[in-house]
Amino acid sequence: MFDPKALLDQFLGSNIPGTEGSIRDKAGQATQMAKDNPLAASAIVAVLLGTGTGRAIGGSALKLGGMAAIAGLGYQAWKNYQAGKAPNDAGGAQDADLLAPPSDSEFSAEPEAVNGDFALALIRVMIAAARADGHVDDAERARIHDKLALSGLGADAVAFLDDELSKPVDMDAIIGAASSEAQKVEMFTAARLAIEPDSRAERGFLDLLAGRLGLADPLVDHIEATVAAAKV
């Protein structure tokens, strides 16, 4: 079985396979790798589906890594929401020094605090968000399957992604994996990181997800603003 947390890191472009550091540390090397083998670099969802994931994570959010970036961005948005700040006045996640949440926080990204099932749910919600525009037909799935075969990912990870891309999205299962408010915030954060909601379908997916998770509109606004500020 593959490590879902490691795959989540690849989805968010933290540790790049074939380099010795993060994109920030090995920018030139990672850029060349992205040209030579895009699927081994960051934003696997974007490469697979050709969706509007748009800008990549930048600044201090990038240095935290996959799960830590999701938890850190979610925690910052939640903290600013709790403090009653306006979303656009809460400070940019890229410009500010985004830190990992406190170890005793429900947003903690420490290994013992994140189970594999929830990490898989985060990957599933990112895939669901990327599929929201509905363009993945049989021909597109065949193309994606071929890309997965050349991706350099482990066989188990390829099989998991191939299966997720070929079956209907199970929103009930995805939503059911988030059992606390922190996990619900992290789930919406992950989905928002996966796409730039430029179409009605993508915007509708995020609105549906927020509603199903029971997130308050002002909290959603904070997550939106925090993630937008973290992308470059």
Side-chain angles (χ1 to χ4, degrees), residues 130-147:
R131 293 176 61 185
D133 61 6
H135 81 282
V136 184
D137 55 18
D138 290 342
E140 183 73 359
R141 275 195 289 270
R143 183 186 68 81
I144 292 168
H145 180 85
D146 290 341
K147 281 193 172 185

Side-chain angles (χ1 to χ4, degrees), residues 37-63:
N37 183 8
L39 213 58
S42 62
I44 290 177
V45 175
V47 176
L48 289 179
L49 301 181
T51 59
T53 54
R55 299 175 300 277
I57 303 172
S60 55
L62 177 62
K63 293 187 292 183

